[in-house]
Amino acid sequence: MGKDNRTVIVVGAGIIGAAIAFELQRRGRQVTLLDKGEPGQGTSFGNMASIALDFAAGSGPTTWRRIPRWLLDPEGPVWLRPSYAPKMLPWFLRFVAAGRPSRLKEIEDAGMSLCRRGLDDFRPMLDAIGAPDLMTEEGCLAIYETEAEFAGDRGHIETMLRYGFEHRVLSGGEIQDHEPALSRKVAKAVLLPNNKSIRDPYHLVLKLVEAAKAAGASFVSGEAQGLERKPDGSVSLRLSDGRRLEAHDVVLAAGVPTRTLAETLGEPIPLETERGYHTQIMKPGISMRYSIIWPHRAFMVTQTAGGIRVGGNVELAGLDAAPDYRRPRVLVRHAQRVLPRLKVEDAKDWMGHRPALPDTIPIISPSSRIPGVWYATGHGHLGLTLSATTARLLADMMTGEKPPVDMTPFRINRY
C-alpha cells in the first residue's frame, strides 16, 4: 500500500504492539516501534503459545463460588499475596460487578465477537510475514480428571454450544487415541479443533518486527514516561532519559505499564497484572499431538519453542514483588499427574505479567481525552489469540475504515 506520510509511534514491542506496528506500516503509515527492552522479551516471550478461541468471561457466579477455595489452596490456580490484598480490592470489586448476569452476557458477546475472528485474521498475518508454518494445525484438548470436574465446567461448555463453537466430548479410550501421552485416569476430554498453537511465540514477535522494518518501520529503545498534545496537533512522547519523540498518532500497547501512561492523561484504567509462570522443558521425554488445558487446575501444557511448556495460573502480587518459583513447580507436578511419562530435564522457570482488566475484555480504543492517542491493552490471557484481530481493528479505526466489529464494548471510558 502507498504511504500517506502520517507518522505513528507504537509503545510496546510485545505481540500486540508488534502486530499493530506491522499492520499500520503495511497500510502506509510511517511507524516507530518503541520499547524499553528488546522486542518480544517481555510477557510475550513466555505465553502459552495458544490461539484460544473459546472465550470465557473471568467473573460470574461459578467463579465466585470457587475463589475462596482457590485462595485457601496453596496449590490452587489463584494465589494472592496477603501484602497486596488491599491494593487489589478496587479491582476485585469491579471484577465482581462484571459478573452480574446482564453484564456477563454483554461481556461474552463482546469477547466472542473478537475470538470468532481469531483464525481469519491470524492466518493472513502469518502469510503476510512469510511464516504460515508457525501455526500448528492440531487443536487443543481440555481434560477432566473426574466426572465431577467435567460437570463443574458445564457453564463453559454451554457457552461454547450457545455461540456455535466447534468441540467434541471424548471419553474412555478415545482420549488416549487422540493423545497417547495422557493418563488413563483422565475421565473426560473436550477436543477444541480450532484452538491452534504457535510453534514459537517469541520467534513470531521477531518475525513481525522484521517484517515491519522491511516495510520501512524503525525500532527505538527507550521507556515512555508521559505524552502531550502539541498546538500543531501532533503528539509528543517524553522518554525517561529526556528525549522526546513526536508523531501524528501514538498507540499505547505496553501491557500493564500502559496504566501509568493513561493516568498521566487523566483517564485511569483498572489495569492489573495477573502474574503467570511457566516451565520450559527441553528434554521432556514425550511428544504431544495436542496442547492440553486442565480447566480445574487452570494451566496448560504446550509443545512449543523446541520443547514442552507447562504454565498458567494467576498470582496477584503486583509488578514489583520477586517471583515465587515454587508456583511453576506445582504446575509441573500437576502436569506429571496426567502426563505420567513427562520428564523434567534441561528445564527453566519463567514469570511474566499479563495485563488484566476486571471485565476480561481488552481496551481497543481512541483516547477519550487526547486526539491522536490510541489504546490496545488489557488482553489478559488472550494477547496472542487476539493480536492479529486487535491490529486489524485498531488500524481500521486509525485509517478511517469501518471495523467489522462493534467497537463500543472496548472503549477506554467504559468504567
Side-chain angles (χ1 to χ4, degrees):
M1 297 183 184
K3 292 191 179 299
D4 63 6
N5 296 317
R6 193 169 179 89
T7 54
V8 183
I9 300 169
V10 178
V11 181
I15 184 60
I16 297 293
I20 292 169
F22 172 68
E23 181 65 23
L24 286 172
Q25 188 68 39
R26 72 194 289 239
R27 294 199 191 196
R29 297 296 166 94
Q30 184 56 53
V31 176
T32 299
L33 183 60
L34 174 77
D35 200 290
K36 65 180 181 180
E38 292 299 313
Q41 292 194 354
T43 301
S44 295
F45 179 84
N47 65 49
M48 287 308 298
S50 175
I51 308 298
L53 306 181
D54 56 321
F55 176 82
S59 189
T62 300
T63 303
W64 301 339
R65 289 192 295 269
R66 292 174 176 174
I67 284 176
R69 183 178 74 249
W70 286 344
L71 294 177
L72 292 172
D73 182 356
E75 297 194 354
V78 177
W79 303 299
L80 172 62
R81 293 200 188 183
S83 61
Y84 198 68
K87 293 182 179 180
M88 280 296 303
L89 183 59
W91 187 95
F92 182 73
L93 292 176
R94 283 192 167 107
F95 175 81
V96 171
R100 300 190 313 270
S102 59
R103 180 67 180 128
L104 194 59
K105 179 62 165 57
E106 293 174 352
I107 290 169
E108 289 174 345
D109 287 345
M112 284 303 302
S113 75
L114 299 182
C115 285
R116 279 174 170 158
R117 298 195 54 83
L119 289 181
D120 290 340
D121 291 327
F122 217 107
R123 284 196 171 105
M125 183 179 76
L126 292 179
D127 289 341
I129 63 173
D133 292 341
L134 272 178
M135 181 186 290
T136 69
E137 285 306 315
E138 301 293 354
C140 174
L141 286 174
I143 63 169
Y144 305 89
E145 195 174 34
T146 66
E147 293 287 348
E149 281 185 16
F150 180 68
D153 203 33
R154 183 178 61 252
H156 183 205
I157 294 170
E158 289 175 349
T159 298
M160 287 192 287
L161 284 169
R162 186 164 68 250
Y163 288 98
F165 189 82
E166 186 178 351
H167 67 286
R168 178 184 165 200
V169 178
L170 308 176
S171 59
E174 285 184 301
I175 299 171
Q176 285 72 38
D177 289 344
H178 281 75
E179 184 51 77
L182 280 170
S183 167
R184 292 191 175 275
K185 293 179 181 178
V186 176
K188 280 281 196 302
V190 176
L191 174 63
L192 308 171
N194 292 319
N195 278 17
K196 311 299 186 183
S197 297
I198 297 299
R199 299 185 194 280
D200 190 329
Y202 172 57
H203 185 58
L204 171 59
V205 176
L206 296 186
K207 290 288 289 184
L208 284 165
V209 174
E210 289 170 6
K213 286 181 176 180
S218 60
F219 175 77
V220 173
S221 180
E223 184 176 7
Q225 198 167 62
L227 62 165
E228 62 185 9
R229 180 85 168 176
K230 298 186 68 180
D232 65 2
S234 65
V235 181
S236 177
L237 185 68
R238 185 177 72 257
L239 306 188
S240 59
D241 60 8
R243 288 179 293 161
R244 285 185 177 269
L245 302 177
E246 294 181 5
H248 295 100
D249 296 283
V250 173
V251 178
L252 302 179
V256 181
T258 303
R259 174 180 64 193
T260 302
L261 294 170
E263 287 171 355
T264 68
L265 299 179
E267 45 188 356
I269 50 179
L271 193 59
E272 261 296 344
T273 170
E274 291 185 358
R275 294 151 58 107
Y277 292 87
H278 86 219
T279 299
Q280 180 72 26
I281 306 169
M282 302 309 292
K283 296 180 180 178
I286 62 170
S287 62
M288 295 170 57
R289 178 182 176 188
Y290 296 95
S291 60
I292 303 296
I293 184 168
W294 191 351
H296 181 69
R297 296 290 182 181
F299 77 96
M300 288 193 72
V301 185
T302 308
Q303 192 158 291
T304 190
I308 283 180
R309 182 171 294 178
V310 181
N313 282 6
V314 170
E315 182 187 36
L316 303 171
L319 282 171
D320 301 324
D324 182 351
Y325 285 120
R326 293 173 299 177
R327 304 308 185 190
R329 289 164 205 149
V330 168
L331 300 183
V332 169
R333 288 202 303 273
H334 290 329
Q336 289 177 310
R337 182 168 173 164
V338 291
L339 296 164
R341 297 191 301 277
L342 176 64
K343 297 178 181 179
V344 186
E345 297 178 5
D346 190 9
K348 187 175 182 179
D349 297 329
W350 174 92
M351 189 273 287
H353 295 276
R354 305 184 194 97
L357 290 161
D359 57 4
T360 317
I361 54 176
I363 293 171
I364 309 170
S365 168
S367 167
S368 63
R369 296 177 63 88
I370 310 293
V373 175
W374 305 80
Y375 290 89
T377 192
H379 292 74
H381 297 247
L382 296 176
L384 178 61
T385 299
L386 299 179
S387 56
T389 297
T390 296
R392 158 76 190 277
L393 298 174
L394 191 69
D396 282 349
M397 289 191 289
M398 292 179 68
T399 58
E401 296 185 30
K402 182 177 174 57
V405 169
D406 178 10
M407 301 305 295
T408 305
F410 312 107
R411 66 194 184 280
I412 188 169
N413 57 347
R414 67 182 186 256
Y415 297 102

